[in-house]
Amino acid sequence: MPRQATLSDKSKPTAQPRTRTETLRARLADEIVSGALEPGTPLDEQELAARFGVSRTPVREAIRQLSASGLVRVRPHRGALVALPTPRELNDMFEVMAELEALCAGLAARSMTAVERRALETLHEDLRVLVHKGDPARYHEKNETFHAAIYAGSHNSYLAELTLMTRARVAPFRRAQFRAAGRLGGSYCEHDLIVQAILRGDQGGAAAAMRAHIGIVRDAFRSYAEAANS
């Protein structure tokens, strides 16, 4: 009988190690979007704690965070269960995400300092290297930093905060799409259009490129989820 995975079974550490809650949330999110945990499946805190070798506290917090993404539905006094958003709900989430990120990219093209532009180019190059390595997990982590740099580059703290909050809602779906064949290379090419527009100060071009990118991310997740659940 195969040994149950625990949270001590970690991959190589990164510069910013995840907490137990973050690791547990990511693993449960992966199982939900891949179909390993089907919609309607109860999530028992005690069972999950035993399965992953942790206390119930990080389990409870991971479930709370997943409920904010729409992956889990928490029922008062009745526990939690897996609940994927409907196609309409998911589309609405990505539609808002696309507009917020487009606004960030447009403002970044206008407002980024020379130092911030060089840092964005460096992140873009790091992602290129990860595409060639074929490392979707590390690409996802660096991709989060890439997008956050654009939010910060908008020089609008309220917009950046709002965009980060919305991104947290769709993060499990954005993460899953990197497992689709050819998606890393596609993501990098879409990023390149965004970066080049920002570097030349093209506000409208940067916004349009980012909006198109998020639309492709949405469609890539749909394709991945359909293949995983077929």
Side-chain angles (χ1 to χ4, degrees):
M1 181 176 180
R3 181 173 62 86
Q4 287 283 0
T6 70
L7 293 190
S8 61
D9 299 328
K10 296 178 181 177
S11 57
K12 294 181 180 180
T14 62
Q16 295 180 325
R18 288 176 174 171
T19 65
R20 287 185 173 183
T21 295
E22 290 169 340
T23 301
L24 179 57
R25 181 192 63 207
R27 291 194 180 187
L28 288 175
D30 284 346
E31 292 186 11
I32 292 170
V33 298
S34 70
L37 285 174
E38 298 180 352
T41 302
L43 297 175
D44 182 83
E45 290 181 8
Q46 186 171 346
E47 187 277 329
L48 289 172
R51 177 185 169 197
F52 289 103
V54 297
S55 69
R56 293 178 66 174
T57 299
V59 172
R60 188 176 300 114
E61 178 61 18
I63 288 175
R64 186 192 68 78
Q65 293 179 14
L66 287 170
S67 70
S69 298
L71 287 174
V72 169
R73 181 159 61 91
V74 178
R75 305 167 299 173
H77 312 298
R78 297 174 59 196
L81 49 78
V82 177
L84 280 170
T86 66
R88 175 60 184 274
E89 290 170 339
L90 194 61
N91 185 72
D92 288 349
M93 290 162 64
F94 271 105
E95 187 173 56
V96 172
M97 186 82 259
E99 293 305 316
L100 288 172
E101 293 220 30
L103 183 55
C104 285
L107 291 177
R110 188 183 72 187
S111 305
M112 263 189 167
T113 66
V115 171
E116 288 172 327
R117 291 168 195 265
R118 287 194 295 271
L120 184 65
E121 288 184 282
T122 299
L123 286 168
H124 188 43
E125 172 61 20
D126 290 344
L127 286 166
R128 185 191 66 79
V129 172
L130 292 170
V131 170
H132 285 284
K133 288 184 177 180
D135 188 344
R138 188 72 184 100
Y139 186 96
H140 167 73
E141 293 173 5
K142 185 67 68 171
N143 181 63
E144 294 276 305
T145 306
F146 173 85
H147 280 269
I150 293 176
Y151 307 162
S154 72
H155 288 245
N156 184 312
S157 59
Y158 179 75
L159 173 63
E161 179 182 3
L162 186 60
T163 306
L164 283 168
M165 288 173 58
T166 305
R167 186 181 181 86
R169 294 288 302 273
V170 299
F173 314 107
R174 294 180 75 145
R175 186 172 190 267
Q177 49 102 22
F178 287 126
R179 292 188 177 83
R183 185 61 201 130
L184 293 189
S187 173
Y188 177 81
C189 290
E190 294 150 29
H191 283 182
D192 194 58
L193 295 176
I194 298 165
V195 171
Q196 296 310 316
I198 289 175
L199 293 180
R200 65 175 181 266
D202 181 356
Q203 185 171 354
M210 180 64 85
R211 188 179 293 108
H213 171 54
I214 302 303
I216 294 171
V217 170
R218 176 199 60 205
D219 294 341
F221 169 75
R222 284 176 178 168
S223 297
Y224 169 80
E226 288 171 1
N229 292 307
S230 62

